[in-house]
């Protein structure tokens, strides 16, 4: 029979020299928070949403339109012109041409059977400047839409009941797996025919848009060697605008152009195929968000809490107690600095209320725009990531690196400029931003699947929540210090 102690106090310290033992202490400090109007967000290659809904919280309308360019894969080739069988009056043509908007049902909001109307308009020139990639940039007002170009009006609903029973079953069966490693690829789509006469900028008229693309290829193959040349010489892109209808905000997974034709194979047999262009991350895809600014400003003015609202709605600004944390224990090291932001339930029931943001980014206020423009990944040094947990909190478990960085920047700045704090009013401020992520999946030899976050973007879907904060509700920042035993 053996008896032993259950005391674990000496584990680790029993093999450590007394001079090296750490002395721990704690501190609790207050941060302040307030709501700030987002105004606009960077939308280059973020998740895109398409539709118009009535915000159940503000009772105002939110609309999201999309602009998309299309990728030309390097090395693209068509059969020699004399082997094309699709011809009219002796010249090659595309038999039919379509644009498809593929929809991720599980990320969409509203009634999938609501009748909506859109207008598809050809761009007059490519969208290049990064300042045109923000959600408040209006392509129409800034002259990017071609007045005499291709225009198509289309009635649609997200769920196309004209599909066969088999396809409808496949769509419904795939919904739980969309966006995961088990995604089978069956998606709802909005099909937009482009089988109408098209007149190019040089005045030449073709039987459809696809024929224009094909004939341009044979006249100028150099335009098809990469995406940049294709976008700047052949297809600047298309704008997709909601013109009527209400009640759905569809998550657009992918936008494609498909152009069908027939040709003679090397074995002298007839084959049918298509030119397939898609809006991949190598080219530009942006969103134009229309919000009711006056309604958002009323929420911002509410000092009893703070708000998080997307798309392009409201962020929460937090002033961190950097001086209190760093100066109170000037000779100690920061082990952890944690802060939690508690989600607050609405004061009244809202029908069809929006979901709370799943993920938040904490980023220095002065880096808010450059973070997304530069496609930065959170590094837990100057930017941090948190998800809504089961206790209704967004918890940033250790932002000590940011506190240390801010304290050092202030000390260095004051050495050369006594007015540094006044000249840098945001030095100790961070912003909480609703974000979405892109995830890559990988499998090992045994079939185990792991996921890795590969990108962070502004949340463009509908979300809204209140956080405990505001003028009369400071946020606790909990700190653990350590120093060696003197």
């Amino acid at each position: 029979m053996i008896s032993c102690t259950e005391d674990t106090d000496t584990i680790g310290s029993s093999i450590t020299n007394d001079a090296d033992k750490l002395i721990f202490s704690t501190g609790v400090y207050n941060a302040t928070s307030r709501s700030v109007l987002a105004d606009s967000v960077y939308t280059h290659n973020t998740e895109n949403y398409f539709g118009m809904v009535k915000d159940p919280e503000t009772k105002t309308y939110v609309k999201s339109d999309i602009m998309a360019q299309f990728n030309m894969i390097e090395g693209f080739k068509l059969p020699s012109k004399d082997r094309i069988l699709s011809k009219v009056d002796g010249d090659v043509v595309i038999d039919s041409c379509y644009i498809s908007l593929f929809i991720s049902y599980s990320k969409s909001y509203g009634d999938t059977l609501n009748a909506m109307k859109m207008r598809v308009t050809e761009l007059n020139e490519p969208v290049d400047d990064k300042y045109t990639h923000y959600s408040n940039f209006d392509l129409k007002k800034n002259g990017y839409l071609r007045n005499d170009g291709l225009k198509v009006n289309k009635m649609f609903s997200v769920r196309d009941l004209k599909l066969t029973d088999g396809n409808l079953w496949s769509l419904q069966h795939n919904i739980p797996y969309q966006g995961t490693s088990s995604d089978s690829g069956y998606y709802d789509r909005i099909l937009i025919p482009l089988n109408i006469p098209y007149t190019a900028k040089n005045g030449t008229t073709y039987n459809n848009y696809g024929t224009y693309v094909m004939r341009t290829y044979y006249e100028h193959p150099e335009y098809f060697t990469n995406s940049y040349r294709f976008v700047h010489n052949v297809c600047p892109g298309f704008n997709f605008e909601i013109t009527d209808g209400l009640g759905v905000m569809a998550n657009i997974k992918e936008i494609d152009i498909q152009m069908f034709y027939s040709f003679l194979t090397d074995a002298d047999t007839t084959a049918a195929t298509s030119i397939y262009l898609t809006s991949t991350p190598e080219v530009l895809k942006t969103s134009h968000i229309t919000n009711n600014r006056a309604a958002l400003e009323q929420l911002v003015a509410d000092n009893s809490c703070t708000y998080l609202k997307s798309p392009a709605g409201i962020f929460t600004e937090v002033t961190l107690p950097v001086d209190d944390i760093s100066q109170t224990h000037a000779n100690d090291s920061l082990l952890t600095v944690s802060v939690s932001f508690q989600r607050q339930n609405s004061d009244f029931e809202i029908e069809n209320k929006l979901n709370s943001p799943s993920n938040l980014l904490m980023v220095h206020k002065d880096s808010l725009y450059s973070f997304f423009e530069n496609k930065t990944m959170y590094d837990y040094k100057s930017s941090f990531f948190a998800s809504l947990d089961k206790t209704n909190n967004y918890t940033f478990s250790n932002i000590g690196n940011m506190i240390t960085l801010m304290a050092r920047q202030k000390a260095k700045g004051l050495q050369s400029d006594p007015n540094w704090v006044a000249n840098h009013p945001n030095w100790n401020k961070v912003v909480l931003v609703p974000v979405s992520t892109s995830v890559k999946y990988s499998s090992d030899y045994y079939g185990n699947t792991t996921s890795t976050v590969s990108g962070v973007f502004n949340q463009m879907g509908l979300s809204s929540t209140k956080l405990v904060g505001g003028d009369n509700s400071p946020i606790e920042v909990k700190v653990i210090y350590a120093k060696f035993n003197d």
Side-chain angles (χ1 to χ4, degrees), residues 258-271:
Q258 198 165 9
M259 298 164 273
F260 298 87
Y261 67 95
S262 299
F263 71 103
L264 195 63
T265 68
D266 293 337
D268 290 334
T269 59
T270 300

Side-chain angles (χ1 to χ4, degrees), residues 227-290:
S227 296
Y228 182 87
R229 291 175 180 172
F230 179 74
V231 167
H232 284 78
N233 295 285
V234 183
C235 177
F238 288 91
N239 188 59
F240 302 85
E241 178 188 8
I242 294 292
T243 56
D244 202 358
L246 182 67
V248 66
M249 188 69 77
N251 175 269
I252 304 301
K253 175 181 174 62
E254 188 176 301
I255 303 177
D256 300 327
I257 300 178
Q258 198 165 9
M259 298 164 273
F260 298 87
Y261 67 95
S262 299
F263 71 103
L264 195 63
T265 68
D266 293 337
D268 290 334
T269 59
T270 300
T273 188
S274 65
I275 302 171
Y276 201 88
L277 306 175
T278 189
S279 56
T280 64
E282 287 76 17
V283 289
L284 185 63
K285 189 166 58 175
T286 62
S287 298
H288 177 233
I289 306 298
T290 304

Side-chain angles (χ1 to χ4, degrees), residues 191-443:
L191 192 65
I192 307 163
L194 301 183
N195 301 312
I196 56 176
Y198 170 74
T199 301
K201 289 183 179 180
N202 63 6
T204 304
T205 299
Y206 305 86
N207 67 317
N208 59 44
Y209 186 79
T211 298
Y212 154 72
V213 174
M214 173 179 270
R215 292 185 184 176
T216 303
Y217 170 83
Y218 290 114
E219 293 169 5
H220 296 282
E222 69 276 11
Y223 294 167
F224 292 75
T225 54
N226 57 47
S227 296
Y228 182 87
R229 291 175 180 172
F230 179 74
V231 167
H232 284 78
N233 295 285
V234 183
C235 177
F238 288 91
N239 188 59
F240 302 85
E241 178 188 8
I242 294 292
T243 56
D244 202 358
L246 182 67
V248 66
M249 188 69 77
N251 175 269
I252 304 301
K253 175 181 174 62
E254 188 176 301
I255 303 177
D256 300 327
I257 300 178
Q258 198 165 9
M259 298 164 273
F260 298 87
Y261 67 95
S262 299
F263 71 103
L264 195 63
T265 68
D266 293 337
D268 290 334
T269 59
T270 300
T273 188
S274 65
I275 302 171
Y276 201 88
L277 306 175
T278 189
S279 56
T280 64
E282 287 76 17
V283 289
L284 185 63
K285 189 166 58 175
T286 62
S287 298
H288 177 233
I289 306 298
T290 304
N291 267 324
N292 188 303
R293 188 180 179 91
L296 294 177
E297 286 177 341
Q298 289 182 0
L299 297 182
V300 169
D302 181 1
N303 293 322
S304 65
C305 62
T306 66
Y307 285 87
L308 294 169
K309 202 168 185 64
S310 69
I314 302 174
F315 299 154
T316 289
E317 177 190 290
V318 183
T319 302
L320 297 172
V322 178
D323 285 341
D324 292 340
I325 294 172
S326 59
Q327 294 177 9
T328 305
H329 293 254
N331 297 321
D332 296 353
S333 299
L334 290 178
L335 283 189
T336 64
V337 181
S338 63
V339 57
S340 292
F341 298 90
Q342 184 177 7
R343 181 181 167 274
Q344 184 175 331
N345 291 327
S346 299
D347 298 330
F348 52 91
E349 285 296 322
I350 301 175
E351 186 178 358
N352 299 322
K353 64 180 180 180
L354 304 179
N355 291 329
S356 299
S358 298
N359 304 309
L360 294 187
L361 176 77
M362 176 188 286
V363 63
H364 195 283
K365 186 175 182 180
D366 285 343
S367 303
L368 175 61
Y369 294 103
S370 62
F371 181 93
F372 296 101
E373 289 175 4
N374 298 329
K375 299 178 177 60
T376 311
M377 175 61 72
Y378 55 88
D379 57 6
Y380 294 108
K381 295 179 181 178
S382 59
S383 54
F384 299 83
F385 182 84
S387 298
L388 182 63
D389 61 29
K390 294 180 180 179
T391 61
N392 261 348
N393 284 289
Y394 299 95
T395 299
F396 297 88
S397 56
N398 191 0
I399 60 170
N401 286 329
M402 178 176 281
I403 298 295
T404 300
L405 179 63
M406 288 178 171
R408 288 176 178 173
Q409 288 176 338
K410 178 185 176 182
K412 184 178 179 180
L414 289 174
Q415 291 177 0
S416 57
D417 181 8
N419 297 318
W420 186 87
V421 173
N423 294 329
H424 298 81
N426 298 326
W427 73 275
N428 60 345
K429 291 180 173 59
V430 295
V431 179
L432 304 182
V433 184
V435 293
S436 58
T437 59
S438 59
V439 179
K440 289 184 178 179
Y441 296 94
S442 59
S443 299

